[in-house]
Amino acid sequence: QVQLVESGGGLVQPGGSLRLSCAGSGFTFSYYALNWVRQAPGKGLEWVSSSGGNGGSTLYVGSVKGRFTISRDNAKNTLYLQMNSLKPEDTAEYYCVKGTSPINLYGMDYWGKGTLVTVSS
């Protein structure tokens, strides 16, 4: 069965950095687009970034461009989100989400349980 397990969340000061990881299993990891989606406390879901499958491109929501970098190591079945220059508004539960095809934003079907990122002084 498909499984996605996030890790790397925690408490960090504004301006700091954090790297999230997502370990995937139960599917052909390299083939599928993978996404990071976040949910701030009391708010709705916000798509953050996508990494296309089959060597595809990356996409970011405007608010994180230049600060976050999505990457993947298909040999290790792991997706990453490097987060730099963190702001309090980045505080959220971050979810790793599997796409339904190699195409960015085409669809999403499986979600991890999330990892909490708190940016605060």
Side-chain angles (χ1 to χ4, degrees):
Q1 63 275 85
V2 172
Q3 190 167 329
L4 299 165
V5 181
E6 303 94 336
S7 62
L11 176 64
V12 63
Q13 294 183 356
S17 297
L18 213 57
R19 188 177 76 161
L20 306 183
S21 297
C22 169
S25 61
F27 64 100
T28 303
F29 192 88
S30 62
Y31 179 78
Y32 292 95
L34 291 166
N35 307 269
W36 289 100
V37 177
R38 67 186 180 185
Q39 185 171 36
K43 304 298 181 181
L45 295 168
E46 179 188 31
W47 172 85
V48 176
S49 185
S50 178
S51 173
N54 287 339
S57 61
T58 58
L59 296 171
Y60 302 89
V61 68
S63 60
V64 309
K65 287 180 180 177
R67 299 190 298 120
F68 290 13
T69 303
I70 191 170
S71 62
R72 63 200 293 164
D73 187 338
N74 291 323
K76 296 181 178 179
N77 283 4
T78 304
L79 177 75
Y80 303 97
L81 185 67
Q82 178 66 48
M83 305 184 294
N84 299 326
S85 301
L86 283 161
K87 304 174 180 179
E89 50 263 46
D90 294 317
T91 295
E93 188 84 13
Y94 284 73
Y95 298 94
C96 177
V97 187
K98 175 182 172 289
T100 57
S101 85
I103 303 170
N104 300 106
L105 305 178
Y106 191 80
M108 304 177 193
D109 51 10
Y110 290 92
W111 293 58
K113 293 182 179 180
T115 186
L116 180 63
V117 173
T118 302
V119 185
S120 177
S121 298

